[in-house]
Amino acid sequence: MMQFSIRADLKTLMSLACVLGLVTAIPTVRADGCSTQEALERAGKLREAFEQLATVADECVANGTKRIVALKERVGRTLAQQEEKKGQLGKAFDWYSRSGLVADADRVKMLQVRSRPDDSTTFGNAYNYFRFREDEANLKELRGIAVKNADKMLVA
């Protein structure tokens, strides 16, 4: 009776499995993470880079979480600032929110309300947003705006 070590048996089984094609190729990821999104950013294709972040492979996220989060914030901030400069505060808010830039999203949401205090839809959306986030400071400011609007309505 021959004695084989467990290690030798495993090596033999793995070799046999590879020869028979039972083991598929294991995809590998470069150690530096996924650079496709960064290349798109460098090429000035910011929207494409941001959208590609949603399709990042799990392996890439595990190897480069900090890089991906930083890229998401950087690209999102740039896109939001572009929209803000155009006066598209709703779109700017969306980019800040999607990028996880809460303070900037809050700031732009309040700018949006201040720029159109009579718009009940804008006001309602802002109120619900801050109520969901339990942001009492901004809710207090929104209540003040509502009181001013009510006073205007009563005077007119």
Side-chain angles (χ1 to χ4, degrees):
M1 179 163 111
M2 277 194 203
Q3 261 190 341
F4 291 101
S5 71
I6 293 175
R7 184 176 280 193
D9 287 341
L10 283 174
K11 277 186 178 181
T12 304
L13 286 173
M14 290 301 287
S15 297
L16 183 59
C18 287
V19 169
L20 295 175
L22 298 175
V23 177
T24 60
I26 299 171
T28 57
V29 177
R30 292 191 338 223
D32 67 340
C34 297
S35 57
T36 304
Q37 295 80 10
E38 290 170 335
L40 287 169
E41 180 190 20
R42 283 191 297 276
K45 298 178 179 181
L46 299 177
R47 291 181 195 275
E48 291 89 343
F50 194 90
E51 297 304 323
Q52 284 282 327
L53 289 170
T55 63
V56 173
D58 291 339
E59 296 87 3
C60 298
V61 173
N63 291 333
T65 302
K66 290 181 182 177
R67 283 177 61 190
I68 289 176
V69 169
L71 177 65
K72 184 178 182 180
E73 290 176 354
R74 193 170 56 244
V75 171
R77 179 176 281 116
T78 302
L79 289 166
Q81 288 171 345
Q82 289 173 358
E83 295 297 341
E84 202 172 344
K85 286 178 185 174
K86 293 181 207 173
Q88 299 293 322
L89 298 177
K91 290 180 182 179
F93 169 78
D94 290 340
W95 281 115
Y96 283 130
S97 294
R98 291 176 64 193
S99 304
L101 301 166
V102 178
D104 288 319
D106 291 356
R107 177 184 57 77
V108 170
K109 183 56 89 175
M110 288 306 296
L111 279 174
Q112 190 178 21
V113 171
R114 287 186 206 111
S115 70
R116 298 168 44 187
D118 297 334
D119 184 346
S120 61
T121 302
T122 301
F123 181 87
N125 289 339
Y127 191 83
N128 288 332
Y129 168 75
F130 289 117
R131 187 172 50 123
F132 177 76
R133 290 204 42 251
E134 298 177 355
D135 185 340
E136 283 302 319
N138 281 317
L139 285 171
K140 184 178 179 181
E141 185 173 347
L142 287 173
R143 288 183 194 109
I145 292 171
V147 167
K148 288 178 187 175
N149 284 343
D151 287 345
K152 285 181 192 177
M153 298 292 279
L154 292 173
V155 171

